[in-house]
């Protein structure tokens, strides 16, 4: 739930990028590199996690710490170019964290019956999706454009 709650920052990407001087439509397009960077990083990280299931927990915790640091930097530093770079790192941590958390849960539930494990993973995804309900309220319009 916290991982998908953190994903709510993606609602603000165009606003934060428009601070760099882009028009609204161009700011929408300029969010694409954030996702491309995430793709380039997430694939090797998740591939490594797949090959080394014993390292998934460590990767997940490291990812959470790096994500927290870049969230804090984004809040503290008001330079728009630096924020855009921080958003790249935030996006990378969010998208890799999602896959790592689910694969870690699968590893942690390895001793559980397959049907029960499937129900638990579905339940985790369903409850986590509830974060989208409160996610839009995390960044009220009154805080814009900061």
């Amino acid at each position: 739930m916290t991982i998908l709650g953190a994903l709510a920052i993606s609602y603000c990407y165009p606003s934060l990028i428009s601070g760099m001087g882009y028009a609204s439509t161009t700011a929408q397009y300029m969010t694409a590199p954030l996702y491309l960077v995430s793709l380039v990083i997430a694939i090797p990280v998740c591939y490594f996690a797949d090959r080394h299931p014993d390292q998934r927990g460590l990767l997940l915790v490291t990812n959470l710490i790096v994500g927290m640091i870049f969230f804090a930097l984004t809040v503290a530093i008001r330079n728009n170019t630096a924020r855009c770079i921080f958003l790249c790192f935030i996006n990378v941590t969010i998208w890799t964290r999602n896959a790592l958390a689910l694969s870690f849960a699968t590893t942690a539930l390895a001793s559980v019956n397959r049907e029960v494990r499937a129900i638990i993973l579905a339940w985790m995804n369903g409850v986590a999706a509830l974060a989208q309900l409160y996610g839009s309220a995390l960044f009220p319009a009154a805080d814009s454009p900061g």
Side-chain angles (χ1 to χ4, degrees):
M1 207 170 197
T2 57
I3 293 169
L4 290 181
L7 187 59
I9 195 170
S10 65
Y11 304 153
C12 302
Y13 286 168
S15 297
L16 293 170
I17 290 176
S18 68
M20 295 176 66
Y22 293 106
S24 63
T25 305
T26 307
Q28 291 286 344
Y29 290 125
M30 293 304 294
T31 62
L34 300 174
Y35 295 99
L36 291 174
V37 170
S38 296
L39 179 67
V40 169
I41 302 295
I43 289 174
V45 169
C46 293
Y47 181 80
F48 177 82
D50 191 40
R51 298 290 174 234
H52 303 280
D54 56 318
Q55 299 295 314
R56 288 177 181 164
L58 180 62
L59 283 169
L60 183 59
V61 169
T62 303
N63 186 299
L64 288 166
I65 292 169
V66 169
M68 286 188 301
I69 290 168
F70 281 105
F71 264 107
L73 288 171
T74 302
V75 170
I77 296 174
R78 296 297 179 168
N79 180 297
N80 289 320
T81 305
R83 277 183 154 183
C84 188
I85 293 168
F86 298 154
L87 289 177
C88 280
F89 285 103
I90 288 171
N91 215 35
V92 166
T93 61
I94 288 172
W95 288 106
T96 55
R97 186 179 320 144
N98 198 11
L100 288 172
L102 289 173
S103 66
F104 177 74
T106 303
T107 302
L109 296 169
S111 62
V112 177
N113 183 328
R114 290 178 68 195
E115 290 82 14
V116 173
R117 184 172 53 226
I119 292 169
I120 291 171
L121 289 171
W123 179 255
M124 285 173 52
N125 277 318
V127 170
L130 293 175
Q132 299 301 318
L133 294 175
Y134 70 79
S136 60
L138 289 176
F139 302 100
D143 291 343
S144 179

